[in-house]
């Protein structure tokens, strides 16, 4: 019987079979953000451990740094301390750091692919659950905890149990105004926030093949919101074209040799998955969440459902919404366009197309936070920042920002925020903040309309 | 790592589904608070009211559940981020064992790294068990016997659970994963030597 993409990459990384279903796997790429360093390195020192492969470890600050225009680093005393640790520890260990103001700095899951560090067939890990984003290139990528960060720093390996496999097939052409963010939110709505737990997911089907690489990253990014650590898309000609010429990607004859190898990775036609799910992409409306789990999602033209569970009654109360009401027209206070889900140039282009020649509603504060220095530069070269600034958006520096607010870039209590990020959890964007997840187009539309709006009515 | 063998302790029931790691510990606490101090902030958004006083709706704010060492939860417990501080915060409350129908995967792995036992039981079993604990606080005590893989209810009923052998051994003996892997250094070096020839582009 044939093998899946996931199984092939897994097998290629087994260093040892530890018995009882556990494997010791080789890690090709380990990405570190400042909180992994500040939490992981004290343990390294306590235990007298050295970094085994600094050459395969890459660091950048993204979580605690300010994204205010003109920022120089950490915005608060404690974040300055964390930044100092990041710089000192990476220098001592010989780990490459993409520091603030340097080419390459940005959200780790944005810069991994952008710099050509994440390659098809590689095992990529990071102390951050959205590492699954990197799976868009046909890499096996997942988030880990701090104990595992230390384990990898010390041994360049990780102990893992092989998950089951699931194929999520999207067929059909999405309507105008419907993006990969909508496809994946709809799937989470369909199978639930725990629907992918225990599985490595491969996204397949004509609608996925049609997506560009950045849109595939958005798709894979939300795998963890399905409960799956791993989400991936088989590499194809679009992938190879995307990788070619990037800073750390192989070049010349080595690139050709790599492509030959990568072409052996896609799932064999006779391979079997433990579970198959499918979704018709052609019938979808732009999606938006109404509750405090990404599974609480509806089409923007839909009504807020009746709660079927006590958690959902609580969610409605937290969100200040009424069951049965239309979601369109709900007044918003904040809009955030950014995060490892939707902060790449293609996302910003889509949002700028909605914003062009229009104004952000007077009562709305709207931010655009590019995912990396590279994204920012490219967007500025295309004049996107001017479109946003003219419309009244803030144009900020790269980082995680309002996705999680660890740098205290929060909205006010009870503020309603349409956000292109990935989590609408209670308090995620600040205490009592009400988050609605949506695509960059929908977020831009909400900023202009001052309320949750159907972007299809605003497209030109 | 602290060993886990047998535990006889008060068990609390928090039936909420999809308890995410942001709810367990706010991210700015993860950055600012030392490891040992995280328990004070565990579940803070559910545990305290905005004025800082105890929220009566949170089960662990009542006796005897303040002393709980076992927490029975809902589906997808610990979903969301990879922050291991969520486990540290729960451990900081004195909890050493979780019982739920399912867990966030990264959280589940992080539990084992910290000597916390996450038990999976079928949803109806968890709900029945939780309801019994909540209904009779005076007898809300469970025994968890890892060696025999049994949860013993207040009524004396024994419920079996599954655990992967390697993880069971590591908990029972308090084994350290890094130390064990370092014994395999020769295998790791050999893997890299062969891999470098096969996939040179990986080694930048
Ligand atoms: S953008 Fe948000 S989800 Fe992504 S890495 Fe940063 S904090 Fe995590």
């Amino acid at each position: 019987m044939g093998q899946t993409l996931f199984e092939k990459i897994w097998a290629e990384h087994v260093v040892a079979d530890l018995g009882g279903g556990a494997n010791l796997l080789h890690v090709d790429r380990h990405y570190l953000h400042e909180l992994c360093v500040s939490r992981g390195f004290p343990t390294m020192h306590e235990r007298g451990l050295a970094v085994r492969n600094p050459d395969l470890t890459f660091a950048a600050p993204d979580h605690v740094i300010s994204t205010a225009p003109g920022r120089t680093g950490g915005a608060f005393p404690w974040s300055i301390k964390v930044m100092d640790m990041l710089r000192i520890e990476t220098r001592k260990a010989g780990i490459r750091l993409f520091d603030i103001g340097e080419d390459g700095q940005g959200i780790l899951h944005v810069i991994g692919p952008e710099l050509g560090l994440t390659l098809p067939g590689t095992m990529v890990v990071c102390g951050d659950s959205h590492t699954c984003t990197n799976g868009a290139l046909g890499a096996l990528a997942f988030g880990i905890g701090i104990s595992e960060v230390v384990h990898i720093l010390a041994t360049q390996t990780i102990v893992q149990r092989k998950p089951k496999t699931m194929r999520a097939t999207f067929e059909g052409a999405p309507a105008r105004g419907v993006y990969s963010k909508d496809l994946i939110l709809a799937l989470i709505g369909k199978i639930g926030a725990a629907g992918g737990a225990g599985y490595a997911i491969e996204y397949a089907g004509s609608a996925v093949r049609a997506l560009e690489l950045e849109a595939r990253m958005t798709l894979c990014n939300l795998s963890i919101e399905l409960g799956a650590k791993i989400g991936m898309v088989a590499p194809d000609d679009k992938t190879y074209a995307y990788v070619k010429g990037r800073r750390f990607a192989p070049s010349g004859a080595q690139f050709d040799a790599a492509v030959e190898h990568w072409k052996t990775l896609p799932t064999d036609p006779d391979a079997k998955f433990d579970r198959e799910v499918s979704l018709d992409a052609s019938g979808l409306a732009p999606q938006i969440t109404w509750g405090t789990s990404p599974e609480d999602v509806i089409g923007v033209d839909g009504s807020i459902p009746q709660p079927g569970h006590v958690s959902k009654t609580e969610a409605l109360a937290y969100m200040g919404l009424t069951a049965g009401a239309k979601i369109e027209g709900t007044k918003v206070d904040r809009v955030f366009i950014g995060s490892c889900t939707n902060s790449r140039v293609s996302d910003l282009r889509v949002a700028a197309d909605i914003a062009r020649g229009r104004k952000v509603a007077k009562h709305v504060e709207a931010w655009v936070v590019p995912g990396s220095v590279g994204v920012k530069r490219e967007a500025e070269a295309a004049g996107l920042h001017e479109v946003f600034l003219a419309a009244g958006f803030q144009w900020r520096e790269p980082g995680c920002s309002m996705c999680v607010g660890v740098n205290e870039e929060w909205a006010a209590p009870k503020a309603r925020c349409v956000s292109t990020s990935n989590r609408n959890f209670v308090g995620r964007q600040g205490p009592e903040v009400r988050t609605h997840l949506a695509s960059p187009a929908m977020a831009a539309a909400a900023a202009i309309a001052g309320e949750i709006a159907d972007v299809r009515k605003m497209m030109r | 790592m602290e060993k886990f063998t047998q535990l006889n302790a008060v068990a609390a029931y928090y039936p909420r589904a999809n308890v995410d790691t942001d709810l367990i510990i706010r991210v700015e606490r993860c950055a600012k608070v030392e490891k040992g101090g995280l328990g004070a902030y565990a579940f803070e958004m559910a545990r305290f009211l905005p004025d800082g006083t105890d929220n009566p709706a949170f089960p662990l704010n009542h006796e005897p559940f303040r002393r709980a060492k076992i927490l029975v939860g809902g589906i997808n417990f610990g979903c969301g981020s990879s922050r291991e501080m969520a486990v540290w915060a729960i451990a900081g409350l004195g909890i050493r064992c979780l019982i739920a129908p399912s867990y966030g995967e990264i959280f589940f792995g992080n539990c084992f790294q910290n000597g916390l036992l996450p038990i999976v039981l079928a949803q109806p079993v968890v709900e029945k068990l939780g309801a019994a604990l909540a209904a009779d606080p005076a007898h809300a005590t469970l025994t968890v016997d890892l060696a025999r893989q049994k949860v013993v209810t207040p009524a004396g009923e024994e419920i079996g659970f599954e655990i992967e052998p390697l993880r069971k051994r590591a908990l029972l003996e308090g084994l350290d994963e890094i130390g064990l892997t370092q014994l395999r250094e020769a295998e790791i070096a050999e893997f890299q030597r062969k891999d470098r020839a096969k996939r040179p582009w990986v080694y930048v």
Side-chain angles (χ1 to χ4, degrees):
Chain A
M1 196 177 70
Q3 281 184 302
T4 65
L5 166 69
F6 163 77
E7 287 161 344
K8 291 181 195 183
I9 303 177
W10 181 283
E12 197 161 45
H13 288 83
V14 174
V15 173
D17 183 345
L18 305 178
N23 285 169
L24 187 67
L25 301 173
H26 185 259
V27 170
D28 299 333
R29 296 283 180 268
H30 182 194
Y31 302 147
L32 288 170
H33 58 75
E34 63 275 39
L35 295 176
C36 296
V37 170
S38 71
R39 287 301 193 184
F41 274 82
T43 309
M44 296 288 289
H45 299 321
E46 263 164 46
R47 304 195 41 173
L49 299 168
V51 179
R52 189 183 185 285
N53 277 101
D55 52 326
L56 301 181
T57 312
F58 302 85
D62 55 7
H63 279 68
V64 311
I65 53 174
S66 162
T67 64
R71 60 113 189 262
T72 53
F76 319 94
W78 60 268
S79 59
I80 292 165
K81 195 176 116 198
V82 167
M83 286 299 298
D84 283 348
M85 270 185 89
L86 171 71
R87 289 172 181 140
I88 293 166
E89 296 293 357
T90 51
R91 192 179 325 119
K92 277 202 295 197
I95 293 167
R96 193 187 297 260
L97 168 69
F98 305 100
D99 205 343
I100 289 176
E102 275 178 38
D103 209 20
Q105 185 269 328
I107 305 171
L108 289 170
H109 320 311
V110 175
I111 65 172
E114 177 186 295
L115 295 174
L117 286 169
T118 301
L119 299 171
T122 49
M123 178 80 70
V124 179
V125 300
C126 170
D128 189 286
S129 60
H130 291 97
T131 307
C132 49
T133 313
N134 293 277
L137 282 90
L140 204 172
F142 54 91
I144 56 176
I146 282 292
S147 296
E148 290 170 320
V149 166
V150 173
H151 189 281
I152 293 162
L153 287 171
T155 68
Q156 204 54 33
T157 61
I158 184 166
V159 179
Q160 290 286 295
R161 285 83 190 158
K162 200 173 185 175
K164 291 179 284 182
T165 56
M166 181 193 294
R167 178 160 53 193
T169 306
F170 295 89
E171 296 291 356
R176 249 184 118 218
V178 177
Y179 303 89
S180 61
K181 180 71 163 283
D182 302 298
L183 301 189
I184 188 68
L185 280 174
L187 183 66
I188 298 169
K190 182 174 174 181
I191 71 171
Y199 293 94
I201 302 179
E202 178 174 341
Y203 300 102
S206 58
V208 174
R209 288 284 133 232
L211 295 176
E212 295 304 319
L213 264 286
E214 293 187 357
R216 293 179 186 177
M217 291 176 209
T218 304
L219 199 67
C220 290
N221 177 271
L222 273 96
S223 302
I224 189 71
E225 297 344 306
L226 269 166
K229 283 208 299 194
I230 298 166
M232 53 210 304
V233 176
D236 57 14
D237 288 343
K238 283 184 182 172
T239 317
Y240 314 138
Y242 175 90
V243 169
K244 195 170 189 176
R246 294 190 181 265
R247 188 163 152 197
F248 293 93
S251 58
Q254 204 172 74
F255 180 80
D256 298 337
V259 170
E260 281 315 302
H261 180 70
W262 298 339
K263 283 184 171 165
T264 66
L265 297 176
T267 296
D268 298 325
D270 58 341
K272 290 264 180 300
F273 290 82
D274 295 307
R275 188 177 171 198
E276 299 261 7
V277 297
S278 64
L279 198 98
D280 176 11
S282 63
L284 287 180
Q287 304 286 300
I288 186 145
T289 63
W290 54 266
T292 56
S293 164
E295 71 184 14
D296 304 335
V297 66
I298 50 175
V300 65
D301 49 4
S303 302
I304 297 158
Q306 298 295 334
H309 187 277
V310 52
S311 303
K312 302 301 177 192
T313 309
E314 279 175 28
L316 277 181
Y318 179 84
M319 294 297 290
L321 296 171
T322 318
K326 284 269 175 207
I327 197 150
E328 198 179 344
T330 308
K331 192 167 162 263
V332 305
D333 309 294
R334 297 288 297 258
V335 166
F336 171 63
I337 298 174
S339 89
C340 57
T341 313
N342 281 127
S343 65
R344 299 175 187 83
V345 175
S346 53
D347 300 313
L348 305 189
R349 274 185 204 285
V350 165
D353 281 344
I354 301 297
R356 188 168 286 115
R358 292 176 169 142
K359 291 276 181 214
V360 170
K362 284 220 163 49
H363 64 276
V364 174
E365 184 175 332
W367 290 14
V368 183
V369 182
S372 70
V373 170
V375 169
K376 184 165 186 257
R377 189 176 346 93
E378 199 180 330
E380 288 181 349
L384 302 183
H385 65 311
E386 282 158 7
V387 174
F388 288 121
L389 288 167
F393 287 84
Q394 289 191 25
W395 176 249
R396 299 176 68 93
E397 296 291 334
C400 295
S401 186
M402 275 186 80
C403 169
V404 66
V406 62
N407 61 354
E408 298 188 8
E409 288 178 357
W410 289 333
K414 297 220 165 35
R416 190 175 299 286
C417 180
V418 175
S419 177
T420 66
S421 54
N422 42 51
R423 287 186 177 141
N424 51 350
F425 297 163
V426 167
R428 174 85 176 174
Q429 297 190 298
E432 297 182 72
V433 176
R434 296 158 167 168
T435 303
H436 295 269
L437 305 176
S439 71
M442 282 285 288
I448 303 297
E451 57 187 36
I452 293 173
D454 189 337
V455 69
R456 291 174 297 187
K457 299 174 188 167
M458 294 172 70
M459 302 201 66
R460 290 178 275 223
Chain B
M1 198 175 73
E2 200 186 336
K3 289 181 189 174
F4 188 110
T5 50
Q6 217 191 49
L7 181 66
N8 175 268
V10 172
Y13 185 36
Y14 187 37
R16 190 184 172 115
N18 299 316
V19 167
D20 59 73
T21 52
D22 280 74
L23 188 77
I24 298 172
I25 187 78
R26 292 192 54 82
V27 72
E28 72 276 12
R29 307 294 185 201
C30 297
K32 283 194 258 190
V33 182
E34 291 306 312
K35 182 172 181 176
L38 287 166
Y41 301 101
F43 297 102
E44 68 173 299
M45 289 185 289
R47 196 167 139 207
F48 305 113
L49 296 170
D51 68 1
T53 57
D54 283 359
N55 181 354
F58 190 67
L60 271 73
N61 282 337
H62 299 279
E63 289 297 342
F65 303 117
R66 284 183 195 279
R67 292 178 278 120
K69 285 189 164 46
I70 301 167
L71 184 61
V72 180
I75 59 158
N76 208 19
F77 191 95
C79 63
S81 99
S82 60
R83 64 186 70 153
E84 198 158 319
M85 301 81 190
V87 176
W88 300 351
I90 289 176
L93 281 179
I95 306 283
R96 291 225 54 207
C97 174
L98 298 167
I99 300 175
S102 59
Y103 297 88
E105 257 182 81
I106 304 176
F107 175 85
F108 187 71
N110 287 340
C111 286
F112 289 103
Q113 301 281 357
N114 292 277
L116 200 117
L117 170 63
I119 294 176
V120 179
L121 295 178
Q123 191 165 353
V125 177
V126 173
E127 285 173 358
K128 189 171 155 228
L129 185 64
L133 296 168
D136 190 5
H139 299 98
T141 302
L142 298 178
T143 300
V144 175
D145 186 340
L146 178 56
R148 290 173 54 234
Q149 296 179 217
K150 300 280 186 212
V151 176
V152 187
T153 69
E157 187 195 348
E158 295 202 339
I159 307 168
F161 63 88
E162 298 291 319
I163 180 169
E164 188 205 304
L166 204 66
R167 282 178 156 156
K168 179 176 175 178
R169 202 182 126 212
L171 279 175
L172 284 172
E173 299 176 23
L175 290 181
D176 167 49
E177 202 172 69
I178 294 177
L180 290 177
T181 300
Q182 281 181 321
L183 298 176
R184 296 181 180 270
E185 172 53 34
E187 282 167 87
I188 299 169
E190 176 64 7
F191 176 94
Q192 286 192 340
R193 194 186 59 75
K194 284 195 187 140
D195 194 42
R196 216 177 261 275
K198 188 177 168 201
R199 302 184 308 149
W201 55 85
V202 169
Y203 298 83
V204 285

